[in-house]
Structures are given as structure tokens and as C-alpha cells.
Amino acid sequence: MGANGDSTEDFVYDTFRDQPDKLPQDVVYDKFRNFVKEYGAKLEASERDLDESFGDVWDMMDPIALDFAPDSKLTLEEVLGVKCKADPLFYKIMLVFSSLVAEVGDLVDEANSRLLPALSTFGENPSDRDLEDGEMQLSFGRMLPLFLDLWTFCDRSYNVIENIVKQLASIYNDRNRKNPEKKGLAAYQNTHLTTVWVAMADLMRVLITLDQVVVQNDYFQQASTIYKRMMKNARNQPEKYDTEMAKAKKFGLLLDKLETDLLDDQIFERCLSERFHDENHGDNLMFMHEFDFQMRELFQNIRRGNGIVNEIDKRQQYVGLCGLYVMYYSFFSNKIKGKSEEKKFFKTLFDIHKEVPVLHMYGNTTYSPAEWLGRRIPDMANAVTKDPMRDHQAACKAALVRYEATLEQTVAKHLQDVMVWASRFESKHMTSKTEDIISKKSYMITKGVYFAQEISTLIKTVLGLHVVLEASLNVKKVLLLCKSIELLKSILVTFHRKSADIGNLMSIMSEYISYNLQRLLIPFKRKLKENQAKLDETQIDQMSALDLMQRILYGAPTRNSLIVLKNALHIVTSKTGGLMKAEDFDAMKVYMRKLEVISTWQATLREACDCSFLYWQRAILPKYFEMIFKQPHLAPGMAYMFAALHDPAKTLLSACHLSDRKSLFTAYQKETEEDFMEMIINPLCKEIGDTLRLNTHSVVLGQDRHELGNNVHTDYQHLLKCNSLRFFGKKLNVRDHVQNHLERQFYNLTALQPQDWKTYEEMRALAKEKYNMNLTEAHLPGQILDQGLDILEITRGIHVFVTKYSYNINNQIFIERPNTTSSKHLSSVHIRHIANSIRTHGTGMMNTTVNFVFRFLTSKFFIFSQFLFDDHVKSRLLKDIKWLDDHKAETNNNYPFKRAEKFVKDIRKLGVENGNSYLDQFRNLITEIGNGLGYVRMVRTGGMRAISGSINFVPSLEEIPNFAELLDEANFRKNPDDEEEEVEGEIPDSTMQAAVNLDTVLQNQSKKFSEGSDYFKLLEGVFKEEMNSEKNKHLQNFYSIVPSLTLSFVEHMIANKDGLTKKGKECSFCDDGFSVGVMFILKILDLNNKFDGLHWFESVKEFYKAEQKRVEKQMSTANTSGPGSDQQGELSTLNLTANRIKQRTREFELLLFAFKSAKVFFKDKRQEEEEEDEEDEEDEDLDDLDEA
């Protein structure tokens, strides 16, 4: 070790000494080269990890995410606490203003979440066709409930603003100083309640936004005019419209008032004209001075940052400030007219439009400060400019020129800043100091939110300027704006990816900021306590506010807590009197803002990254997709663009003017997918197909591919390697689309010209080498589909066949199980396949098949016997049998359902292998036995079908002539010279042998067709004697395990049928081999009567019937208990339980039918005759009853 603690390995001398054959510069060069190589490998691994995380595994649109916003159900009264009530006036002021600020927040949230989305989409048509007569009236009629809600919202907003103004005016009033009873209020006249003023400005911004959304949508006025015209006709002809004159007239008046209040740009104006026309605030000079101070303070805050990072959300505050100034002018116009200072301030406020001529409000709505102020206060506007509209147009054009000149550099800077920020945000902490980690993480969070706001503002401003000026966007601008959108979503993805790390530090960051705030408050509080005897009214309130702040800072920074905290801070900082330094005062404000940002960063980030405006700007998508196709290296950014294209969904689903609210969303989704297919997928398919064809033909024709055309070579690997794009529940995969297109094209062309299959195979091989595409073989098979699998292959691999195929007892078909194959299609084996194979190989294959199946069943029955002989299984079965004998009376000879369930659970406790218990494996064994028997049945039926195809040329199976005897008679004829003598004819011996062969064939075919070979009887006879021997006595317990097997089978079938509607390969709709196997085993063991004596299916029916009644009773009880979230959740659970009961009941019924069907195969003739006699007796009894 050296003196500084470093290892000697760091000395260059040691390196040189180890490598004496290299010069020092060569050693340094090798080290640097190795470093770059390792670092490059790490970067590639990081890029690969990030790509995978945003692809199939990780997505920012995951249904589960972390919400870090502090939440508490404490009311404002509970936040203030009981201690505040010791100072009644302080408690009242804090409660009143905090409640008003909270109410403003609720109103703003309601407008953003419910009113603005529905209003902004009004008039949007999901189809390109023109509206038919009556559709506009219907759309306006559907909006009437929303208009009523908007009416109520506006009235509530007016009440809140009126209440805020009255409360503030009551504090800032000269009469408080003169009135001894209001001496306490005078102490608050030095307090600047900025939070209340900002909240009022925010609510005014919402009212202005509602006005702008309605005014800038001409469809409101058109629909209103046509609807009123229709109602006028209804008023003139009430009987035609099934209404009354009085109602129609009253409704018409309401429509007129609705149009005046909501649709004529009067939402904001009504707030001033209706609520304050009787109020005389102009004489309250103190209120006027406070109003002026707050506007100037807010304006200065908008013009500069407040201590952390430059914030772009101040554009929205500027809109609210304009609303505040209009209110200020309406209150105090007589006092401020002609004053140069007021004119100067208004000019400064008005000149903001030169820098920001257009502000994005919502959707496709913009706000123009110069135009709006010119309409609201024309006197002041005309005093600072001759023509506000002309100034607005000039400012828009100048701003557009500036953005066009600097857009590329700005986007490049944003890209660099975001990349640096993301790399630092993703990096691990290089320090162990908790304070440094918290400071860095909080800074990175704030910085990320700032970048998102800055990029969002750039996009919305540029698009807004083009909308206002009706200017077109060139391809370069589209690409730059889309790149900005991708950057915006990449910030959101980075935050989403780091959610776990942020979550671990959220509470620590909040506590750290709260601690710093308390550290600043404690010295101030100590100084006030030192002068407690000399405190005035203001300082006493400051003490109360300090106590309140300290108590709140110990808790979580919830929404209500932050509101109270900010209002208390205004009181604390109202009068410092030299007790607090100016820098401490500024630091306190900074920490307060940091605490608010850290607590609400997710909501701010979501708002900044929201790209719902893309619906109205979707004309840029075709250009964007076209540029992606021309520049494939930009393809990885498509994932972020598609994430942005998800954002309009919530707005589109809020459309109220359509009969189907989903139609607008569906049309948007369809249009986007069509643009994607038309601009990327279809051209890409054509280009890759042409490339493969030209490369293949260039080899065949011996020419260079460039001589055949397509001289421009573009590498489309970036497009093909692009991960699946998620778009509203769908996965858009470029590679899959291209593969499907090429497979379909190769197949169709090969079908038209089968001799060209080799060419397409070469193209397929080239696609694999060049693009890594695994295409299906284009060579068509040389057989028809009816041939299917050959019977020889099935018979030789019978042990594999029974595990890979499922049997359907009714249709006599085997279907391949999806989880046993990697193919895109499933094979099936039908009777016609077996018949075709028998025609090929002859009927002798049938006996061979039975022999193979016999050997297979022998091996399976050996395993079957071992399972039932196992002590764990045998003991449980004997225990169940004894229990049933002892409780016959109690159970009514029914095997209890719960008993079977308990048996299943006990077996599962013995162990599970690959998710299957030993009982499940035993069920699979029986299913394989049944599949083998089903295959024998299919072979027998296929043989009969093959025989029927050859014997249909025989006229009658009952009178088949003997051709050998006929030829014998014809060959011996009487001698013409001697009639009693017979002489041999001239029929050759070959003809006689042919007749004998024909007779043999006809007899065999007739016998097989009329009787058939009952292979089940043969197999039954072979196994029955051995299975019922003394050494296999333990097999007699099999009937008691059948109920548990049926439970396992039903669960297995439900899971498989559910899999049909989901992605995955564990799915099937039939598996009747189990029923056949159970019935065959019961037959050979003579256990049918014992199993029937269990009355198992009756017990199942009774159990589920009781369960159904219990659930219905609970549902009726829940319905009568009244509405509520708990009741709704309980009803949902009960509905799911009822559906599950119905599903299981249906599966048991299907299993019972399968058992009965399989039982028919193993009935002997005596049993069939007895059943026929019983049916005849029942028919006779019925006839006797009818006669009686």
C-alpha cells in the first residue's frame, strides 16, 4: 500500500515490469482499449435491458402502478386540531380560507375530469359521412344533462369566488381599525394570503377555459340554433310532438337562458356581472391595495423562478391573472382610470402576448391574451395598443418564425438534457450520506417534472400557433414534434421504471424537507417566546400559526395539510420585525414549494405528459409513420409514440353527444391502426417481398439485383426488431405482420403454380438468413387432407398418441392437445382418416391394432394396480367404504360430496409433481386407457365404413349367390348323344379359382359388415378373469375412488375450457377418454352395481342445489340492505359464486351423459334384453293406466 492508501497495482511501474516487452504508451493504449470495449459491452447490455423492460415485460401502461401521493381522510377541522380553538379568530380564519381553497381544488378537478373532456369532443363525428337530418338535434339533446351540470358547476364556482372576495374584503377594510369589536381582524391586515388569491385565479382560469372551449367550437352554436328551431315547431304543434304548450314554452325559455349563460361567451362575465353588481368594493381602498399587491406579486412570480427550478406551469397562472385583473378593473375602474402607474402595469401584463401569443388550454382550445383582454377591458387595451387583434396576429407570426428557426436546436437540447437526466436518474448513488442522496433524488424528480413541462409546452405552443394561423406543418417539423412527444413519454417511462426506488425514498424526502422547515421555524418561535410579555395581536397569531405548522409537519403532507400549512406560513411571515432574516424567509418559501412539488409530482407529471391533444392533431400521424418507414433507425421510438396515442382515450370515452360513447374511441383506434398499416406495414411487406424476389432471381438469371431494379437499399432490421407495440389491448408486431404476409403470399402463389415451390423455398431460406424470419414451408403436401395420420404410425406409437390427443365420444374424433405441439395448427383423427388408411393397408390392420392396444393396456393396468395397492390409497379407500356402510341411514345411501372433496385434499397432501397430484396422475392414466379403447372403437367404425364403401356394389347382403357353385353347374352339361351322361365343360381352372376367391371375399365382407368384430368384448374377456383374481382383490375398491376422480376431472375440464378464451396452450373442450376408461374398468371388475349404489351424481346434484339456494338467499339479503360499495362488492362476489356453481353443475351433467354413453359400449346381450323387457312392461303399465 502507498502512503495515500492506494494499492501498488495502480502504479504504472508495476504494469511495465509485468510487461517488459511493451512500451509504456502501448500499455496505456491497451488499457484504454479494454476499458472502451468493456464500457461498450455494458452500454449494449443496458440498452438491451431497457428495450426488454419497455417491450413485452415492462410497460408504462401496466395495470398496476405505485401512487405516492400522501392520502388521509382527515378533515380540515381535524387537521387544525383542538388546540387551534384556543384562539377562536385564528381558528375561524384558517378554517374558512382553507375550506375555500380546498373547494376550489375540488371544482378544478371536476372541470378537468368531467366537464372539459365532454365539451371538447362535442361535434366530433366517428364517421366521415355527413350528418343526416335530425342527428345534430339528437346530439344536442344528449348534451342537455351535461349542460345542466355545467350550469350547476358555474353557479357553485360563482358562489365560491363571491365568498372568497367577501371574506378578503372583510379583512382588508379600514373600518376594522376603528371598530374595537373587529380589532382582531385588523391584526391580519399585514398578512398576505397569497394561496387564497392563487386559488381564486385558478378557478377563474377554469371559467375562462370553459368559455374558450365553447366559443372556439362552432358546432355549439349550430346545434343550438337547429335545436331551438325544432323546439319552436314543437311549441307550434304540441300534439304532433306529444307534448303540451306550457311545457314546450317553458322549455324554450330555458333553452334561451342556457344559450345566453353558457354558449355566448358569458361564463366568466356572469361571475362579475351577476354576483358583484350590488357590491360596492370600489370604496374599500385597503382591499384595492391588497388586490393590486397580490396581482403584482403573482405577476413577478410568473416572470421569474421562485428558487428551485424554472417552472413552466406559470402560463396557466397567467391566464388566471388576466381574470383577476378584469375583476380588479370592474371593482376599481373609477379609482384607477387615468393613473399612469396602472396603465404601465397593464401594459406590462398585456405585452406578455408578444412572448407567449398563444396558450394551450385543453384539447384543441387555445387562449390568446391580447384578443381576450381586448374584448374584456377594451378601454385599457386601446390605451396601450391601437388594434389588439392585429397585434395578436403579428405576435403569432413572429413567434412562429422564432420557433421555426430554433425548433431543431431546441429539440436537440431537450434530447441531450433528458438523456443526461435519465442516465443520472438511473445511476446508483455514489455517496453514503443520506442527506446527499435525498437532496439529489428530490432534485432529479423536480428536474424531470420540469423537463416534461418544458417539452409539453413547446409541443402545444407550436401546434397551437399553426392552428391559430392555419399554417401547414412540413415533414421536418412533424418529425421534430414527434421526437419531442417520444421524449415526453420517455420521461414518464423513466419515472415508472424507477417507481420502486422513488417509493423507498418518498417518505424520507418529505420528512427531510419538513425537518428543514422546522429548523427554520424553531429560532423564530424561540425569539417570540422570549418577548412573550410584549407580543401584540399579530405576534400572538404568529405563535399559534407556528404551533400549527410544527404539528402538521410531523405528519404526512396531504392535500388538506398543505393547504393549512401554506395559509399558516402566510401568517407566520406577515410580520417579522427583525426576528427573521430575509434569507431565512426566502428559504422557508423554497422548502414549502419543494414539499408541495414532492407531494404532488405524480399528478403534475401526468398532466405534463398528457398527450390527449393528439386526437385533434392526428393528421400528423401518417407523416410520422411515413418518416419511420423511410428512416427505420427511428423505429424504436414508436413505442413511446403509441404510448402517447393512448392518452386521448379518456377524453373520447367522455363524449356525451353520441348514442354510443365508444364509437368515437373505436373510430380513432381504427383510424390509427389503418394509418400504421398503410404507411408502415404494407410498404414494408412489399419492399421485403420485392427484395427477396430480386435477390433470388438475380441468382437464377445470373444478373446483379441492381440491374433488375430497386437500386436503393434500406436496412429494415430496426423495424423488424422493434418490440410489440401495445395499442388499446392489441399487440402490433411488425415482424409478425410481415411474416404472415409473406407466408400467405408464398402459399397462394405455390397453390397457383405448384412447380415453383422450390423458388419460394429459396426465398424462405433467404428470409431466415437476411431477416431472421421463420416462415412456414411453401411446399404443399402431396396428399389430401382426408388421409390425415396413417393408422400404422398411430398404432406403432399408441403410447404417445393417447397422451397427445383428446377423445370425443359423440363425434368419434381425436383432437391434438395444444400443449403437446409447437405447430400453429392442431391435427385431428376422424373416422374417414381411419377408413382411408384401412383401404390402403387392408382390413388385416384392424386385428394388428387391437393387438397393439392390448399390450398397451396391459402395461397401463399394471400401473393401475400398483396405485390402488399403495398403502396410502388403499387405507383411505377402505376407510371410506367402511364409513359408508356405517352411515347408510344418515347419508340415504348417497356418497357425500364433502367426503369426496376431503379425499382429493388428502391425496394432494401426499405430494404434487408438475402441478398434478397423484390423483390427477391416476386420472390421466385412466384417460389414456379410455383413449386407447376409443381408438379401438374408431378403428372398428372406420373398418365398417371402408367395408361399406366396397360392399355397396352387392345388390343384396341377404341373398349373395355362390359363384363357385354356379360355375360348377355351368361347367358340367349333359351329353347331346346321351342325356343321362354329363360331360365337363371348357371353363378354365383360373376362372374357377377366381370364383372361389370372390365367394371368400364376399363372405368375409358380409360377415364383417353385418356383425362386425366386437373388440370391446374381446378385450373385456381377456382382462376380466385376471383382474378379478384373488391377488388383485384390492382392485375391488376402485368404485369408491371414482367420485374423487370425477371431481378432479371436472376441475381439469373447467380449467381447459377457460383456457380456450385466453392465451396459452392448456386448453381443450373434450376429454371423453376418462369416461370410457372408467366404464370399462367398472365393467371388467363387476363394480357397476356398487358404483350405482353410491348415487354419486344425485349427491352432486343435491349439493350444488343447496349451494345455489344459499347463494340466492345471500343475494336477496344483500339487495335489501341498500346501495353501497360494500354491498356492490358482495353482490359481485355472489354473482361469481353463482356462475361457478352453474358451471360445475353443467360439467357434472356432461360427465354423467358421457358415463351413460360409454356404459352402452360394455353392455352384454342379457343385460340389454332385460332392459328391453323392463321398458316393455313400463309401456304396458302406461297403456293400462290410459285405458283406466
Side-chain angles (χ1 to χ4, degrees):
M1 299 291 291
N4 58 354
D6 293 337
S7 173
T8 55
E9 294 176 357
D10 295 334
F11 285 100
V12 179
Y13 175 78
D14 296 332
T15 306
F16 295 162
R17 185 180 60 188
D18 293 340
Q19 300 174 347
D21 55 334
K22 288 190 177 182
L23 295 175
Q25 57 267 31
D26 294 336
V27 175
V28 173
Y29 175 74
D30 290 342
K31 291 179 65 177
F32 181 73
R33 182 178 59 186
N34 293 333
F35 168 77
V36 171
K37 185 177 180 180
E38 293 177 1
Y39 186 70
K42 290 181 180 179
L43 289 179
E44 291 179 358
S46 300
E47 183 181 6
R48 186 166 56 252
D49 293 340
L50 293 178
D51 288 341
E52 291 175 356
S53 66
F54 187 68
D56 297 333
V57 179
W58 189 278
D59 197 303
M60 64 181 170
M61 291 171 287
D62 287 334
I64 298 177
L66 298 177
D67 187 3
F68 302 121
D71 188 20
S72 175
K73 295 183 179 179
L74 293 177
T75 62
L76 287 169
E77 293 89 341
E78 293 171 335
V79 173
L80 290 170
V82 180
K83 290 184 179 180
C84 284
K85 294 183 179 180
D87 189 347
L89 183 59
F90 171 76
Y91 176 79
K92 181 178 179 181
I93 288 177
M94 291 298 299
L95 181 61
V96 167
F97 286 110
S98 298
S99 299
L100 289 172
V101 174
E103 179 71 13
V104 169
D106 294 337
L107 289 171
V108 172
D109 291 342
E110 181 183 359
N112 291 331
S113 62
R114 196 168 64 87
L115 297 178
L116 288 174
L119 291 172
S120 61
T121 55
F122 182 61
E124 296 293 334
N125 189 4
S127 61
D128 297 332
R129 63 176 178 82
D130 296 333
L131 294 178
E132 298 180 358
D133 293 339
E135 287 189 355
M136 186 175 289
Q137 294 91 320
L138 285 173
S139 64
F140 190 83
R142 297 188 189 103
M143 290 288 288
L144 289 178
L146 182 70
F147 288 145
L148 293 177
D149 292 342
L150 178 60
W151 223 337
T152 306
F153 173 85
C154 292
D155 287 339
R156 179 60 186 158
S157 300
Y158 300 159
N159 291 334
V160 172
I161 292 175
E162 181 183 11
N163 197 347
I164 291 175
V165 171
K166 287 182 177 179
Q167 296 290 346
L168 291 172
S170 66
I171 292 178
Y172 304 106
N173 198 316
D174 289 328
R175 289 176 294 183
N176 293 336
R177 297 180 179 178
K178 301 175 183 178
N179 190 347
E181 296 180 356
K182 295 185 177 182
K183 186 179 178 181
L185 285 175
Y188 288 94
Q189 291 178 351
N190 292 326
T191 301
H192 302 294
L193 299 171
T194 306
T195 301
V196 181
W197 291 91
V198 171
M200 184 166 63
D202 202 22
L203 188 55
M204 287 185 172
R205 175 187 63 80
V206 171
L207 297 178
I208 294 171
T209 304
L210 291 171
D211 262 337
Q212 295 298 106
V213 168
V214 174
V215 170
Q216 294 182 19
N217 189 348
D218 297 335
Y219 196 81
F220 280 101
Q221 288 295 335
Q222 297 175 11
S224 175
T225 303
I226 295 177
Y227 193 83
K228 288 170 60 179
R229 190 181 305 159
M230 180 189 71
M231 293 310 302
K232 183 177 180 181
N233 295 334
R235 193 163 58 248
N236 295 333
Q237 298 175 327
E239 64 282 352
K240 182 178 178 181
Y241 293 90
D242 192 19
T243 185
E244 299 177 4
M245 175 70 74
K247 291 182 178 180
K249 187 175 181 180
K250 184 177 180 180
F251 186 71
L253 295 175
L254 287 174
L255 283 177
D256 292 338
K257 183 169 176 55
L258 182 146
E259 183 179 15
T260 303
D261 292 349
L262 303 180
L263 307 182
D264 288 345
D265 196 17
Q266 293 296 313
I267 294 178
F268 175 79
E269 189 66 31
R270 283 176 56 227
C271 178
L272 304 179
S273 61
E274 293 184 5
R275 297 306 172 107
F276 300 103
H277 66 281
D278 294 332
E279 300 290 338
N280 187 14
H281 296 292
D283 297 333
N284 191 346
L285 296 180
M286 181 174 289
F287 180 58
M288 184 184 76
H289 292 319
E290 178 64 20
F291 208 140
D292 180 69
F293 172 82
Q294 290 292 348
M295 285 194 304
R296 294 175 184 273
E297 190 70 19
L298 184 58
F299 180 74
Q300 292 301 324
N301 188 38
I302 292 172
R303 296 287 294 179
R304 69 175 187 273
N306 64 357
I308 39 177
V309 292
N310 297 326
E311 298 180 63
I312 307 300
D313 60 345
K314 301 187 186 305
R315 292 170 179 257
Q316 302 297 323
Q317 294 182 10
Y318 174 68
V319 179
L321 178 59
C322 292
L324 280 179
Y325 191 88
V326 173
M327 175 183 280
Y328 175 75
Y329 183 81
S330 67
F331 287 171
F332 311 108
S333 57
N334 296 329
K335 302 287 185 182
I336 63 177
K337 278 185 178 179
K339 290 187 176 181
S340 59
E341 185 178 353
E342 290 297 335
K343 182 179 178 181
K344 181 179 179 181
F345 174 69
F346 177 79
K347 187 177 188 308
T348 307
L349 180 69
F350 184 83
D351 287 344
I352 291 289
H353 82 278
K354 295 179 181 179
E355 302 175 15
V356 188
V358 173
L359 287 88
H360 178 267
M361 302 298 286
Y362 190 90
N364 200 33
T365 305
T366 57
Y367 172 78
S368 303
E371 182 268 337
W372 190 83
L373 290 172
R375 284 191 293 110
R376 297 299 178 187
I377 40 178
D379 295 341
M380 297 294 293
N382 292 331
V384 298
T385 182
K386 295 181 180 179
D387 190 349
M389 284 302 301
R390 186 176 63 185
D391 286 358
H392 166 63
Q393 290 291 328
C396 288
K397 293 178 181 178
L400 185 59
V401 172
R402 288 198 306 271
Y403 278 112
E404 287 180 345
T406 61
L407 184 60
E408 187 173 1
Q409 293 81 359
T410 305
V411 173
K413 183 179 181 300
H414 286 164
L415 177 60
Q416 181 180 1
D417 292 341
V418 171
M419 290 179 65
V420 172
W421 168 82
S423 62
R424 291 178 178 174
F425 200 35
E426 295 279 358
S427 64
K428 296 181 179 180
H429 306 299
M430 301 304 294
T431 178
S432 59
K433 292 184 179 180
T434 306
E435 183 177 351
D436 294 341
I437 295 174
I438 295 173
S439 300
K440 178 183 176 183
K441 188 62 67 173
S442 60
Y443 175 78
M444 296 308 296
I445 291 174
T446 308
K447 198 72 174 176
V449 175
Y450 159 70
F451 283 142
Q453 290 176 327
E454 186 178 20
I455 295 171
S456 176
T457 301
L458 173 68
I459 299 168
K460 294 173 182 177
T461 303
V462 173
L463 291 175
L465 287 171
H466 282 83
V467 171
V468 171
L469 297 175
E470 297 181 354
S472 59
L473 281 166
N474 57 36
V475 177
K476 186 177 181 180
K477 289 182 186 176
V478 169
L479 189 59
L480 290 173
L481 291 176
C482 291
K483 188 64 180 178
S484 299
I485 294 172
E486 293 173 2
L487 277 178
L488 197 62
K489 287 301 176 180
S490 69
I491 294 174
L492 194 61
V493 170
T494 304
F495 273 107
H496 183 63
R497 189 184 300 116
K498 299 292 292 182
S499 295
D501 294 342
I502 297 174
N504 293 330
L505 294 174
M506 273 299 297
S507 60
I508 301 176
M509 286 188 290
S510 300
E511 291 175 4
Y512 175 73
I513 298 172
S514 300
Y515 163 75
N516 284 306
L517 263 175
Q518 294 185 59
R519 187 170 53 83
L520 294 172
L521 293 174
I522 290 174
F524 185 40
K525 183 178 179 180
R526 188 185 301 116
K527 291 179 181 179
L528 287 176
K529 282 188 175 181
E530 291 174 356
N531 301 321
Q532 192 167 3
K534 301 179 182 180
L535 297 180
D536 56 16
E537 293 288 339
T538 302
Q539 291 174 331
I540 292 174
D541 292 333
Q542 285 179 319
M543 283 288 294
S544 300
L546 284 169
D547 290 336
L548 177 61
M549 287 185 68
Q550 284 185 314
R551 190 169 67 254
I552 293 176
L553 287 172
Y554 281 117
T558 63
R559 177 185 172 186
N560 287 342
S561 298
L562 286 174
I563 293 173
V564 175
L565 202 60
K566 288 189 289 186
N567 286 331
L569 182 63
H570 297 322
I571 296 176
V572 169
T573 58
S574 60
K575 181 181 178 181
T576 58
L579 299 178
M580 181 182 290
K581 298 179 181 179
E583 54 268 21
D584 291 341
F585 175 73
D586 295 335
M588 195 178 297
K589 283 187 175 182
V590 170
Y591 280 122
M592 190 68 229
R593 180 58 180 158
K594 280 185 177 181
L595 184 62
E596 185 178 6
V597 170
I598 290 298
S599 303
T600 61
W601 68 267
Q602 275 188 305
T604 308
L605 181 68
R606 281 194 294 267
E607 183 180 355
C609 295
D610 180 49
C611 297
S612 56
F613 60 88
L614 281 177
Y615 173 75
W616 289 273
Q617 306 293 339
R618 60 189 184 278
I620 68 175
L621 287 181
K623 294 182 180 179
Y624 170 75
F625 289 142
E626 185 180 1
M627 289 303 300
I628 292 294
F629 175 73
K630 292 180 179 179
Q631 304 179 37
H633 64 279
L634 302 175
M638 280 199 301
Y640 300 107
M641 177 57 74
F642 272 91
L645 292 174
H646 277 77
D647 292 342
K650 184 178 179 181
T651 302
L652 299 179
L653 291 173
S654 302
C656 300
H657 65 287
L658 300 171
S659 57
D660 181 10
R661 290 195 174 191
K662 291 185 178 180
S663 59
L664 195 60
F665 165 74
T666 305
Y668 164 72
Q669 181 182 1
K670 182 180 178 182
E671 181 182 352
T672 305
E673 290 179 4
E674 288 177 351
D675 290 340
F676 177 72
M677 296 295 295
E678 184 178 351
M679 295 297 172
I680 292 183
I681 299 299
N682 294 341
L684 183 62
C685 291
K686 182 179 182 301
E687 285 294 327
I688 291 181
D690 292 345
T691 301
L692 295 175
R693 187 171 288 102
L694 290 173
N695 277 282
T696 304
H697 291 336
S698 65
V699 175
V700 175
L701 299 177
Q703 300 180 18
D704 187 73
R705 56 161 293 190
H706 299 298
E707 299 179 8
L708 299 174
N710 193 15
N711 296 328
V712 179
H713 175 67
T714 305
D715 186 9
Y716 296 108
Q717 289 290 349
H718 291 285
L719 274 172
L720 296 175
K721 291 180 180 179
C722 186
N723 291 328
S724 297
L725 305 170
R726 295 189 183 183
F727 190 59
F728 299 118
K730 294 184 178 180
K731 276 194 173 184
L732 304 177
N733 190 287
V734 178
R735 178 182 294 276
D736 289 347
H737 279 291
V738 176
Q739 284 188 179
N740 293 337
H741 170 79
L742 293 177
E743 287 176 350
R744 185 169 56 252
Q745 187 182 54
F746 291 175
Y747 177 85
N748 292 337
L749 295 174
T750 304
L752 292 175
Q753 298 291 336
Q755 66 274 12
D756 293 340
W757 69 269
K758 190 174 182 180
T759 302
Y760 296 111
E761 280 296 299
E762 293 175 354
M763 293 173 65
R764 186 176 73 88
L766 183 61
K768 172 65 178 175
E769 180 182 353
K770 191 176 181 67
Y771 302 111
N772 195 27
M773 290 186 182
N774 296 313
L775 304 180
T776 305
E777 292 185 12
H779 184 215
L780 298 179
Q783 64 180 27
I784 61 174
L785 293 177
D786 276 352
Q787 284 184 274
L789 293 175
D790 190 80
I791 189 173
L792 279 176
E793 297 177 3
I794 297 175
T795 303
R796 289 168 182 164
I798 186 66
H799 59 286
V800 179
F801 176 78
V802 295
T803 61
K804 289 189 174 183
Y805 285 75
S806 298
Y807 180 56
N808 187 296
I809 194 172
N810 297 313
N811 295 323
Q812 287 207 66
I813 185 173
F814 279 93
I815 301 174
E816 191 175 17
R817 293 174 181 170
N819 60 345
T820 61
T821 179
S822 60
S823 177
K824 295 182 180 180
H825 67 276
L826 300 179
S827 301
S828 62
V829 181
H830 199 265
I831 296 173
R832 63 177 180 270
H833 301 150
I834 302 297
N836 290 332
S837 294
I838 291 175
R839 290 193 189 100
T840 303
H841 301 290
T843 56
M845 274 303 303
M846 298 169 65
N847 294 328
T848 305
T849 298
V850 175
N851 291 333
F852 270 87
V853 172
F854 168 74
R855 288 197 292 269
F856 165 77
L857 293 179
T858 301
S859 62
K860 292 299 178 182
F861 275 123
F862 178 75
I863 303 173
F864 174 87
S865 176
Q866 283 183 325
F867 179 84
L868 292 179
F869 192 76
D870 185 82
D871 290 335
H872 296 287
V873 178
K874 184 166 66 173
S875 61
R876 283 174 170 79
L877 294 179
L878 292 173
K879 184 179 178 181
D880 280 353
I881 293 172
K882 186 177 182 303
W883 187 90
L884 288 172
D885 292 335
D886 296 338
H887 298 79
K888 285 183 179 180
E890 298 175 10
T891 61
N892 196 21
N893 288 330
N894 288 349
Y895 189 96
F897 188 89
K898 294 291 185 180
R899 194 81 182 174
E901 281 187 331
K902 185 177 181 301
F903 186 89
V904 174
K905 293 178 182 178
D906 291 341
I907 295 296
R908 180 167 286 275
K909 292 178 182 178
L910 298 178
V912 177
E913 184 177 349
N914 296 329
N916 291 330
S917 66
Y918 293 118
L919 188 66
D920 295 332
Q921 297 177 36
F922 187 60
R923 169 181 52 77
N924 291 334
L925 175 70
I926 296 175
T927 302
E928 292 173 10
I929 293 174
N931 285 344
L933 295 170
Y935 178 63
V936 170
R937 180 193 174 208
M938 181 179 286
V939 168
R940 178 179 179 272
T941 309
M944 295 180 65
R945 180 167 181 169
I947 294 169
S948 66
S950 59
I951 208 171
N952 58 2
F953 300 100
V954 179
S956 176
L957 293 178
E958 298 177 356
E959 298 180 1
I960 299 177
N962 193 315
F963 290 94
E965 294 179 358
L966 293 176
L967 282 178
D968 236 1
E969 295 175 0
N971 193 33
F972 292 91
R973 56 185 176 81
K974 293 182 178 181
N975 191 349
D977 298 333
D978 186 0
E979 295 180 357
E980 294 180 2
E981 182 183 3
E982 292 183 352
V983 295
E984 188 174 356
E986 299 179 354
I987 297 177
D989 294 337
S990 58
T991 302
M992 294 297 295
Q993 186 60 40
V996 173
N997 294 339
L998 178 59
D999 289 336
T1000 303
V1001 171
L1002 289 175
Q1003 287 176 8
N1004 290 336
Q1005 296 284 45
S1006 175
K1007 183 179 178 180
K1008 290 179 180 178
F1009 184 80
S1010 59
E1011 297 180 1
S1013 298
D1014 196 345
Y1015 296 119
F1016 284 162
K1017 294 296 181 184
L1018 297 175
L1019 293 172
E1020 179 185 337
V1022 171
F1023 288 106
K1024 190 169 187 179
E1025 182 178 357
E1026 180 64 21
M1027 299 285 280
N1028 287 283
S1029 62
E1030 186 65 23
K1031 65 178 181 181
N1032 290 324
K1033 188 177 180 180
H1034 58 281
L1035 300 182
Q1036 295 298 315
N1037 302 328
F1038 172 75
Y1039 75 97
S1040 61
I1041 201 177
V1042 174
S1044 303
L1045 288 171
T1046 59
L1047 286 178
S1048 173
F1049 177 79
V1050 167
E1051 293 296 332
H1052 164 70
M1053 288 307 300
I1054 289 175
N1056 280 350
K1057 289 181 180 179
D1058 289 342
L1060 292 172
T1061 58
K1062 301 175 183 177
K1063 284 191 175 181
K1065 292 199 171 186
E1066 291 293 336
C1067 57
S1068 177
F1069 65 91
C1070 65
D1071 202 0
D1072 293 334
F1074 173 77
S1075 304
V1076 177
V1078 170
M1079 287 295 102
F1080 179 74
I1081 296 171
L1082 290 175
K1083 178 62 177 176
I1084 62 177
L1085 295 174
D1086 290 329
L1087 296 175
N1088 275 320
N1089 293 333
K1090 288 188 177 182
F1091 175 71
D1092 293 340
L1094 297 178
H1095 303 288
W1096 166 240
F1097 289 99
E1098 290 84 352
S1099 179
V1100 170
K1101 186 176 181 181
E1102 291 175 3
F1103 174 81
Y1104 282 119
K1105 188 175 182 181
E1107 287 293 306
Q1108 184 68 27
K1109 288 182 179 179
R1110 180 181 63 80
V1111 172
E1112 290 175 356
K1113 183 177 179 181
Q1114 292 179 358
M1115 291 176 69
S1116 62
T1117 304
N1119 284 325
T1120 57
S1121 61
S1125 60
D1126 294 336
Q1127 287 77 11
Q1128 292 296 329
E1130 184 179 359
L1131 283 174
S1132 300
T1133 304
L1134 291 174
N1135 285 327
L1136 291 174
T1137 304
N1139 292 334
R1140 188 169 62 251
I1141 291 172
K1142 292 179 181 178
Q1143 188 180 23
R1144 279 162 172 72
T1145 304
R1146 183 169 60 251
E1147 288 299 327
F1148 269 105
E1149 290 176 353
L1150 293 174
L1151 180 60
L1152 175 60
F1153 297 151
F1155 271 26
K1156 290 182 177 180
S1157 300
K1159 193 174 183 180
V1160 174
F1161 303 153
F1162 310 108
K1163 285 184 179 180
D1164 49 31
K1165 292 183 178 180
R1166 180 179 56 80
Q1167 188 177 359
E1168 292 177 357
E1169 290 174 359
E1170 290 177 357
E1171 290 180 358
E1172 289 177 0
D1173 293 338
E1174 289 177 0
E1175 291 176 359
D1176 294 337
E1177 290 177 3
E1178 290 177 1
D1179 292 338
E1180 290 176 3
D1181 293 337
L1182 291 174
D1183 294 336
D1184 294 338
L1185 288 173
D1186 292 336
E1187 291 176 2

